[in-house]
Amino acid sequence: MKTTAAGLLILAASAPTSLAFVRPHPHVVSTAKGILAATSDTALHAGVSVDDLKGARDVIDEIIDKNECGPILVRLAWHDSGTFDKDIDDEWPAAGGADGSIRFDPEIKHGANAGLKIALNLLKPVKKKYPSVSYADIFQMGSACAIELAGGPSIDMKYGRVDVDDPDQCSPEGNLPDAEPDESTGKYGGPGGTKSTEDTTPF
């Protein structure tokens, strides 16, 4: 792949688990030595295991190598996690974030998510082969793998995210901040969503 890692950004909500899943990049010297776990190497959530995560990672690597789709997987992970609103105190998953909700209508049809159904379809074989790994974890893992395979760092990811299971749990359109500032104001985002994403600080 020709994609450079410098421009790839991943914002992923941390999972409620103490297990960090890291690995050395296959082409870059790294200090990562594999799995670092403060807990058991077995159940994290819903029966997912370290072996499941390793297997899912390997399938994702194959998908990226075959399709050269790293950038769109990074975008998918960002758009699933970037809806998080820290100011919402209601019970999960009201605040949004990396919860797999982007796989549902209406969220996948939000204007900012145009084209991301391609990424969802690319990752279907991962979920089919490793159903115990949540969609939320698969999406974030896809982004981490993409960054590593582009020559970036091995990301110390945490796994154990839980998926929403109903389209009614999707974040409303407008929660995802814009990637670029408005040319005239220099501000990111705009009105809409559970809370406006517009940056109202003086310009």
Side-chain angles (χ1 to χ4, degrees):
M1 291 178 64
K2 300 298 184 183
T3 310
T4 62
L8 299 181
L9 172 66
I10 180 171
L11 295 178
S14 294
T17 174
S18 58
L19 185 141
F21 182 74
V22 295
R23 62 174 172 138
H25 184 270
H27 308 300
V28 178
V29 175
S30 171
T31 58
K33 299 299 182 183
I35 302 297
L36 302 178
T39 59
S40 167
D41 280 355
T42 54
L44 300 178
H45 71 85
V48 69
S49 67
V50 169
D51 286 342
D52 291 333
L53 292 171
K54 286 181 176 179
R57 177 201 66 193
D58 291 342
V59 175
I60 290 172
D61 278 353
E62 292 174 4
I63 290 170
I64 295 172
D65 285 339
K66 179 180 178 181
N67 298 280
E68 297 189 346
C69 56
I72 199 171
L73 296 188
V74 173
R75 183 170 164 242
L76 177 68
W78 154 234
H79 283 225
D80 190 46
S81 64
T83 57
F84 178 70
D85 187 338
K86 67 179 179 61
D87 294 319
I88 296 178
D89 295 325
D90 294 345
E91 187 176 349
W92 180 91
D99 56 17
S101 62
I102 198 171
R103 73 190 192 277
F104 288 124
D105 293 338
E107 190 169 337
I108 191 60
K109 292 183 178 178
H110 290 176
N113 295 334
L116 286 179
K117 190 165 283 189
I118 295 170
L120 292 177
N121 289 334
L122 284 167
L123 293 176
K124 280 182 177 179
V126 186
K127 184 64 175 177
K128 183 177 180 179
K129 189 168 184 178
Y130 297 98
S132 65
V133 183
S134 69
Y135 282 104
D137 275 349
I138 289 171
F139 298 160
Q140 301 309 318
M141 182 183 287
S143 181
C145 289
I147 291 171
E148 292 181 41
L149 290 175
S154 179
I155 298 173
D156 186 2
M157 292 284 285
K158 293 183 179 180
Y159 294 97
R161 297 169 184 82
V162 178
D163 288 331
V164 300
D165 53 16
D166 190 285
D168 291 338
Q169 296 173 309
C170 289
S171 295
E173 188 160 14
N175 270 28
L176 187 73
D178 292 335
E180 300 291 340
D182 182 273
E183 292 183 2
S184 60
T185 67
K187 296 177 180 179
Y188 291 81
T194 53
K195 181 179 179 181
S196 174
T197 56
E198 183 179 6
D199 180 359
T200 58
T201 56
F203 177 64

